[in-house]
Amino acid sequence: LLFNLPTALKLSELMQPNQPLLQRLLRDAPGTYQHSLQVANLSEQAANAIGANAELTHVAALYHDIGKMENPAFFTENQRDIGNPHDALNDPYRSADIIINHATDGDEMARQYRLPNRIRDFIREHHGTSQVYVFYKQAVILAGDENLVDISDFTYPGPKPQSRETAILMLADSCEASVRSRQPKNKQEIEEIVDQVFDGKRKSGQLDESGLTLNDLNKIRSIFVEMLQGMFHPRINYDAAIARVKTKGASPV
């Protein structure tokens, strides 16, 4: 308690849904809350598979996006039926600031709520030093010349993941968001999305300081594919199913 360490007792306490910060996340950014639950489940199972700290990873995932509460409507999972405010803003620099700041805002919020520093590592590291590429490309188009745009304005401050656990969260976060956004129709499409995320993070060097091995990545990938298939399986079109039965049973004309 004195050093605010993430002991088993502390993690069990932080995992409870009645925690003030989690209750606030549920009220202010319900889409982000649901996203965090999914990411927590993915991360926990992956951590278990490679012998990492599964309980810590699960709890940290619940809190990793708390910074989005500052501007919840600017994040896609909270935009149902309200449109995209980035379109009205029409300023890629300001949009990039809002997106990037959810990591720094989240870290400050975690400090105010006295979350253990080990939990704060996940908030700071879950995007590493990646870019908000869409807004960077928009800025280039508006400027008319790539040399007139400083990519550092569109880059998360990092650091890159410094542990296997924070790297797992980075991968789970990106995979869940990508699959939810693209709505794949079958397992093959889910595999393609997961492979793209893994290859992108590895080739850009985001995993270089995490300690993850290729064997770890293979295990994590397999778990993500299976779990994402269960989370985002295609829904039955009941109207079409009923229509087929009626058509089959209809008398010939």
Side-chain angles (χ1 to χ4, degrees):
L1 291 176
L2 179 63
F3 294 103
N4 197 20
L5 297 174
T7 61
L9 183 61
K10 182 67 173 180
L11 291 175
S12 178
E13 175 189 331
L14 290 173
M15 196 184 300
Q16 301 306 310
N18 62 356
Q19 279 292 312
L21 203 47
L22 294 181
Q23 283 291 300
R24 183 180 163 193
L25 183 63
L26 176 59
R27 289 194 309 271
D28 295 351
T32 299
Y33 180 84
Q34 294 300 324
H35 160 71
S36 299
L37 291 178
Q38 303 274 42
V39 171
N41 291 329
L42 287 168
S43 300
E44 180 181 22
Q45 294 304 312
N48 262 325
I50 67 169
N53 190 329
E55 187 176 19
L56 171 66
T57 308
H58 179 97
V59 173
L62 296 176
Y63 292 88
H64 79 283
D65 269 346
I66 56 174
K68 291 182 178 180
M69 287 190 285
E70 293 294 326
N71 292 286
F74 283 86
F75 296 88
T76 55
E77 65 268 23
N78 301 309
Q79 288 175 359
R80 291 186 179 182
D81 303 323
I82 64 171
N84 189 341
H86 291 287
D87 296 337
L89 192 60
N90 196 29
D91 181 347
Y93 286 90
R94 180 66 187 127
S95 288
D97 279 343
I98 292 171
I99 298 300
I100 290 170
N101 284 345
H102 88 270
T104 51
D105 289 342
D107 185 40
E108 175 58 24
M109 201 175 293
R111 185 190 66 79
Q112 293 173 0
Y113 278 79
R114 298 200 72 250
L115 294 185
N117 194 56
R118 187 69 184 94
I119 300 288
R120 292 172 61 188
D121 288 341
F122 287 79
I123 298 173
R124 291 186 288 255
E125 297 172 19
H126 76 278
H127 283 291
T129 56
S130 58
Q131 285 84 36
V132 281
Y133 192 69
V134 171
F135 297 121
Y136 168 71
K137 294 303 290 184
Q138 288 181 1
V140 169
I141 292 170
L142 290 173
D145 185 346
E146 193 173 89
N147 295 320
L148 297 177
V149 179
D150 186 350
I151 198 168
S152 66
D153 291 331
F154 300 87
T155 303
Y156 282 94
K160 297 176 182 179
Q162 300 295 300
S163 67
R164 293 189 299 168
E165 289 82 4
T166 54
I168 288 170
L169 175 60
M170 169 184 275
L171 293 167
D173 182 43
S174 295
C175 286
E176 195 279 343
S178 296
V179 170
R180 175 169 34 83
S181 172
R182 293 166 60 177
Q183 298 183 341
K185 297 179 178 62
N186 51 53
K187 184 177 181 179
Q188 181 180 347
E189 291 184 7
I190 291 176
E191 288 177 336
E192 291 171 358
I193 294 171
V194 171
D195 285 343
Q196 288 173 8
V197 170
F198 275 53
D199 289 345
K201 298 302 182 187
R202 187 172 54 81
K203 289 177 180 177
S204 64
Q206 295 302 315
L207 305 177
D208 288 355
E209 299 166 24
S210 68
L212 285 177
T213 65
L214 289 176
N215 188 46
D216 290 338
L217 290 174
N218 286 332
K219 291 179 180 178
I220 295 167
R221 176 197 175 279
S222 296
I223 285 171
F224 282 3
V225 168
E226 292 301 322
M227 291 188 67
L228 287 167
Q229 186 180 18
M231 291 177 184
F232 297 99
H233 60 275
R235 299 295 190 266
I236 296 173
N237 186 330
Y238 292 104
D239 290 337
I242 292 170
R244 284 196 299 271
V245 172
K246 286 182 177 178
T247 301
K248 185 178 180 181
S251 58
V253 177

